[in-house]
Every structure is written in structure tokens, then in C-alpha cells.
Amino acid sequence: GDKVQQGQLLVELDCALHQAKRNSANAAVSRARAQLNFSSGQLKRARNLRAKKSISEELLDQRKTDVATAQADLRNQAALLEQAELDTRHCKLNAPFDALVSKRLASEGGYATPGTPLLELVQTDELEISAELRDSQADSLEHAPQPRFDYLGTAYQVKLRALPQLVDERTRTRDARLLFVGEHAPVGAAGRLQWTSRERMLPAHLLVRRNDKLGIFVATDGNARFIELPEAREGQPVAVNLDDSLQLVLEGRQRLRDGDALSINREAAQ
């Protein structure tokens, strides 16, 4: 439940072992550097003696090999020192951003290995809204002028940040990401995303299911005709592009079957 600021110390681990490894690695680097200096001096003297033909070519090659080996050892010890210093720095865990501590997963005196979760944080600034939308909804939201996020009767103004083209194969939806404009809802709030669409939408209560397909019934020559709406989802409005001359069946549609004769109430149709 604590609020923390970016950079604030959250957890400090017992670093004695890592510090000892760092000291050992630092000593190893000093030793490797001294060995390289010694080997380089030996090589320089060997070259002078070889110029005077006082030593063999084989001994000169040996001195060159000693220098190359010392250089490789120094690079290896420097890499180990860098790793030890990195491990030492990781003994102190700081908040990566302004956040709220939602869970404390470790206690003082507990044992932790690399990868052990210690705290769970929820970011409190630059909050985003994630909404799973069907293609038709995503296209509509992309052109909506002022979308809103409704939470417990309060509407918060939001704006679209990203709408990836990736479609979830399981839900056949796209994950839209939106940012709050001004005041934001509480962290973790689940609400309803609302916007004014430029498309013609059919209310969800007019949808009926036939043969495991969602659609609507219209009147054609006195008979009921079922029109499947592939984009429709249970309990949600659906965008339609129907001819204005079609007459929707409003009453009794739940009992209708495709081809049933209709008795049209002219007063209700008007």
C-alpha cells in the first residue's frame, strides 16, 4: 500500500558475498595487469637480444605467446570484475518508476536467489487503458473524436495511443491502448469504454441466435428472413450496413424461424 517514487530504495540485500567476489576479482585484475607488464618487458628485451642474435627465434616466439596469454587473461579478469560489480550494484533495488506497492513477497531475513520476486509494483503515472476490441469496433474508435472511460458513473476523457494490427487468434480481438487526458481513474479500475461512432449501430437487444449464428430478422414479402451478422457478439451493439428499405422485426423475433409468415402491425412499423 505504500507509494514510492522513482529511484527510491525499496529493498537492500545482504551483499557480503558479492562484495567479497568483487574484491577477489579486483585483485585478479591487478595480478593480470602486472603479469602483462612483466611479459611485455620480457618481450622487449627478447627483441633487443634477438637483434643481436643472442637468443633463438623460438625463445622470442615464446615471449610473444606470453604477452598474448597475459592480454587474454587480463580481458577475462576484467569481465569477471565487471560481473562482480554488477552483482554488487544489484544488492540495492530502487523503484524504476513512481508506483504503488501492491504486494510484498519477501520478508527481512528471507533467502533470495536471482529471479526471486520481492515486491509487486503498480505504476501510478502515465496510466494506460487496455481494451479488447473487434475489428469493426477498433476502426470506429480510431476515428472517434472524444472517447471516454466510464468508471462507477464518472466519465474520464481518454485518447488513443496505439492500436496494433495484431489480432488475438483466440478472441479475434485487437488490444487498443489509451491514455487519460487530465484526471485519471484509480489504478486497476475496470470500466466501460465509450465513444460516438460515425457508423450505423444496431442495438444488442435486437440480435437473435439461429443455428449458433447471430443476426436479425427482417420482413421480406410478408415472410421472416434471417440475416447473419458475422461481426456480432452477444450483448454488444454491432455496426451494420443495411438497406434503408429493410423492415426489422421488433416483436416476436425470439420465436421466429427463417421463412415464417409475418403479420405486420402497420401502426408499430410507422
Side-chain angles (χ1 to χ4, degrees):
D2 287 348
K3 291 183 178 180
V4 296
Q5 295 181 341
Q6 183 178 11
Q8 180 177 338
L9 179 64
L10 301 178
V11 177
E12 187 169 2
L13 304 176
D14 182 358
C15 209
L17 179 60
H18 291 307
Q19 288 172 345
K21 289 182 178 180
R22 182 189 61 185
N23 294 338
S24 176
N26 196 31
V29 168
S30 298
R31 184 179 64 250
R33 186 175 289 112
Q35 181 63 45
L36 176 60
N37 292 336
F38 175 76
S39 299
S40 298
Q42 290 285 81
L43 176 60
K44 183 177 180 180
R45 286 189 290 272
R47 283 172 173 166
N48 291 334
L49 292 174
R50 180 57 187 164
K52 297 175 183 179
K53 297 185 178 180
S54 298
I55 61 172
S56 65
E57 187 71 29
E58 181 182 358
L59 184 57
L60 177 61
D61 290 341
Q62 180 61 49
R63 295 292 180 262
K64 292 179 180 179
T65 301
D66 291 343
V67 170
T69 301
Q71 289 174 336
D73 185 49
L74 179 59
R75 289 193 297 269
N76 179 60
Q77 296 301 331
L80 294 176
L81 175 59
E82 183 179 0
Q83 179 63 52
E85 290 178 340
L86 185 61
D87 290 339
T88 301
R89 288 198 297 270
H90 285 170
C91 289
K92 292 185 177 181
L93 306 182
N94 301 314
F97 40 70
D98 293 344
L100 182 74
V101 180
S102 60
K103 288 184 182 179
R104 175 179 168 176
L105 304 174
S107 300
E108 185 175 358
Y111 185 73
T113 58
T116 300
L118 305 177
L119 295 172
E120 188 173 287
L121 304 179
V122 177
Q123 190 170 357
T124 56
D125 61 343
E126 299 182 3
L127 298 180
E128 286 191 355
I129 298 172
S130 175
E132 294 184 357
L133 306 175
R134 291 177 288 112
D135 273 338
S136 59
Q137 292 176 323
D139 294 339
S140 175
L141 175 61
E142 197 168 13
H143 300 94
Q146 292 182 333
R148 301 173 303 280
F149 177 74
D150 184 87
Y151 174 67
L152 298 180
T154 301
Y156 299 89
Q157 186 177 352
V158 296
K159 64 179 180 180
L160 185 65
R161 182 186 70 79
L163 187 58
Q165 294 297 320
L166 181 64
V167 177
D168 188 304
E169 294 183 358
R170 181 178 59 84
T171 61
R172 297 182 182 179
T173 57
R174 293 162 60 187
D175 186 17
R177 295 301 178 102
L178 302 98
L179 300 174
F180 286 98
V181 178
E183 187 179 1
H184 61 77
V187 177
R192 184 179 295 274
L193 188 62
Q194 300 176 336
W195 68 92
T196 302
S197 174
R198 297 178 181 178
E199 298 177 303
R200 302 172 68 182
M201 305 294 293
L202 193 69
H205 71 271
L206 293 181
L207 298 175
V208 292
R209 184 176 292 278
R210 293 294 183 271
N211 297 324
D212 205 29
K213 297 177 181 179
L214 284 175
I216 56 173
F217 275 107
V218 299
T220 304
D221 297 329
N223 296 315
R225 180 165 65 93
F226 179 75
I227 298 179
E228 179 189 354
L229 300 176
E231 293 294 323
R233 295 184 67 180
E234 201 82 52
Q236 295 185 10
V238 58
V240 294
N241 185 22
L242 302 174
D243 192 299
D244 290 341
S245 63
L246 287 178
Q247 291 182 308
L248 300 181
V249 177
L250 302 179
E251 296 182 6
R253 60 187 180 281
Q254 299 297 345
R255 299 187 300 273
L256 280 179
R257 292 177 298 179
D258 194 48
D260 282 353
L262 297 177
S263 176
I264 299 178
N265 185 332
R266 297 297 177 181
E267 293 182 0
Q270 293 176 357

